[in-house]
Amino acid sequence: MLLSISLILIIGMSMGWVCRKLKLPALLGMLMTGVVLGPYVLNLLDDSILGISAELRKIALIIILTRAGLGLDLSGLKKLGRPAVLMCFVPASFELLGMILFAPKLMGLTVLEAAVMGAVLAAVSPAVVVPRMVKLMDEGYGVKEGIPQLILAGASVDDVYVIVLFSTFVGMMQGEGASMIRFVNIPVSIFLGIAIGLSLGFLLAFFFKKVHIRDTSKVLILLSISFLLVVIEDQLTTAITFSALIAIMFIGIGLQRKRETVAKRLSAKYGKLWIAAEVFLFVLVGAAVNIEYLGNVGIKAIFVIIGALVFRMLGVFLCLLGTSLNRKERLFAMMAYTPKATVQAAIGGIPLSLGFACGDVVLTIAVLAIVLTAPLGAFAIDLSYKKLLRKE
């Protein structure tokens, strides 16, 4: 395992540096590192680290979501109001609709199989989007208009919505039928996540005020609580659950509201943690990509992905109608809401493991969507934000 960790860090950081020098997103170099080192090419990564790959990727997401919450300025988001709520589910719903329209005709799937595939693809990747929106907030681009806050919050809730839809469609494929309680759980899990996160953030703010400890110890306490929330969510067998990732982000928001100075210091600490977490996240996502599947898909698969993304961008455009955002800002939001990576890597193989006839096709398109949209989406954000957004 130590050799694998060394290879991930050294080669991943080196390839990220090379990509930055070539004016490409560092993410692209890290993804390619994972593909090459992974089990489908050179197979240099130890099985023990691949076995905990999902947990390591989740830790990386926890780090960046906490940092996002600690630095999230809600004032810009409040100005947008209605669009902020719509962005949580309308773009994903439009992408799912696009997949249902295109996949049966181009890929020969049934409508339900297309819905399963659409649910896999419809989630935007927090791993790609969140760190870039945090960077925009740090640099002051679009903050006054609430654009990075809007995309950051929407991307977090979007995943919850899509994963619940995915589990519902999988249940229907297995003959369980559509359960109303699952759809009720979508808003309930979001609001419970917000309430739990804010409550914990306020309690931590009070604790840090009364008990003076080092910032490093505060970070360890925050991480421990975040890990516990994820474990509790995974272990819950009740029909109604809560979203741990949303709760984690709102811990940071609650702490910021009560102890802004402490939140800023902790945000800087999390920024340093993210340097290593980012490498692990994207290299391990790349290691999950089976390039053999890419040779089995034709041009039709690319058209299906592009068609669904066009529907998604249309959904973002409709969400932003009636806002004060100009054309350039709306265009940026539409582009920034397209990258796929972590959710697709996490659930793309489930239909195949369950023995669904569409399993190979779903996994293939999920892999292709990661390879196409993660680097291109990151590149589009990095290249355009200074030109399309106003600096505060």
Side-chain angles (χ1 to χ4, degrees):
M1 183 185 282
L2 292 178
L3 175 61
S4 298
I5 293 172
S6 177
L7 290 173
I8 288 170
L9 289 172
I10 293 172
I11 301 177
M13 288 191 294
S14 299
M15 290 302 295
W17 179 83
V18 169
C19 284
R20 276 193 292 267
K21 286 294 181 182
L22 296 173
K23 305 298 182 184
L24 295 171
L27 154 70
L28 182 58
M30 296 172 196
L31 281 173
M32 290 302 102
T33 299
V35 171
V36 174
L37 294 179
Y40 305 107
V41 183
L42 297 180
N43 194 24
L44 293 178
L45 297 181
D46 194 86
D47 289 341
S48 56
I49 200 163
L50 291 175
I52 59 169
S53 174
E55 285 77 12
L56 291 173
R57 294 201 302 266
K58 192 166 285 187
I59 289 171
L61 278 179
I62 286 169
I63 289 170
I64 194 60
L65 282 171
T66 307
R67 188 188 172 203
L70 290 167
L72 185 61
D73 179 12
L74 294 177
S75 59
L77 194 60
K78 289 176 182 176
K79 295 178 185 176
L80 293 168
R82 174 188 56 85
V85 176
L86 294 178
M87 285 283 280
C88 296
F89 65 91
V90 170
S93 298
F94 267 69
E95 186 171 2
L96 180 61
L97 175 62
M99 189 62 70
I100 291 172
L101 291 176
F102 295 129
K105 295 179 181 178
L106 294 175
M107 306 301 295
L109 302 178
T110 66
V111 172
L112 187 53
E113 288 173 338
V116 170
M117 187 159 72
V120 170
L121 260 67
V124 69
S125 172
V128 180
V129 172
V130 173
R132 278 161 177 77
M133 295 306 108
V134 172
K135 179 184 176 184
L136 262 62
M137 290 191 297
D138 290 343
E139 296 182 12
Y141 282 94
V143 174
K144 189 176 180 181
E145 294 78 20
I147 296 168
Q149 301 97 304
L150 173 74
I151 296 170
L152 197 156
S156 304
V157 179
D158 173 277
D159 283 4
V160 178
Y161 173 64
V162 167
I163 289 170
V164 172
L165 287 181
F166 174 74
S167 63
T168 301
F169 293 139
V170 166
M172 292 171 69
M173 287 278 288
Q174 293 175 317
E176 295 176 8
S179 172
M180 182 57 66
I181 195 68
R182 285 179 175 167
F183 290 102
V184 171
N185 188 46
I186 295 173
V188 172
S189 66
I190 291 167
F191 287 117
L192 277 177
I194 293 172
I196 291 169
L198 285 176
S199 301
L200 288 171
F202 293 158
L203 286 173
L204 284 172
F206 177 78
F207 176 74
F208 293 154
K209 184 178 180 180
K210 296 295 182 181
V211 180
H212 298 286
I213 54 177
R214 295 179 61 180
D215 288 342
T216 303
S217 299
K218 293 172 184 173
V219 168
L220 292 174
I221 291 171
L222 270 173
L223 283 174
S224 301
I225 292 171
S226 300
F227 296 161
L228 281 173
L229 287 173
V230 171
V231 171
I232 292 170
E233 184 194 19
D234 290 341
Q235 296 297 321
L236 277 179
T237 56
T238 55
I240 298 297
T241 59
F242 71 99
S243 170
L245 292 180
I246 291 176
I248 288 164
M249 186 169 72
F250 273 85
I251 289 175
I253 293 173
L255 185 56
Q256 180 207 142
R257 296 287 292 273
K258 296 295 184 181
R259 301 277 289 168
E260 188 175 357
T261 306
V262 173
K264 286 182 179 178
R265 295 203 307 268
L266 295 185
S267 180
K269 292 277 187 183
Y270 269 90
K272 294 173 182 176
L273 280 176
W274 174 244
I275 294 171
E278 180 185 34
V279 180
F280 274 98
L281 177 60
F282 291 120
V283 171
L284 291 173
V285 167
V289 173
N290 187 347
I291 60 172
E292 292 179 8
Y293 284 116
L294 301 183
N296 299 330
V297 298
I299 196 71
K300 291 181 180 179
I302 297 175
F303 280 124
V304 168
I305 293 170
I306 293 173
L309 284 177
V310 169
F311 267 71
R312 182 180 189 86
M313 293 173 78
L314 175 61
V316 175
F317 176 78
L318 293 176
C319 289
L320 299 179
L321 286 177
T323 65
S324 59
L325 302 184
N326 59 38
R327 289 182 181 179
K328 289 182 178 180
E329 291 162 344
R330 293 180 189 181
L331 176 61
F332 176 82
M334 290 163 69
M335 291 191 302
Y337 225 50
T338 57
K340 318 288 181 185
T342 37
V343 175
Q344 289 70 32
I347 67 175
I350 291 177
L352 181 62
S353 66
L354 293 174
F356 293 170
C358 63
D360 273 324
V361 178
V362 172
L363 181 57
T364 300
I365 296 216
V367 169
L368 188 59
I370 293 170
V371 173
L372 288 176
T373 64
L376 288 177
F379 182 68
I381 294 170
D382 293 345
L383 186 67
S384 66
Y385 76 94
K386 290 184 179 179
K387 299 175 182 177
L388 299 180
L389 302 181
R390 288 170 283 188
K391 187 171 184 178
E392 188 175 359

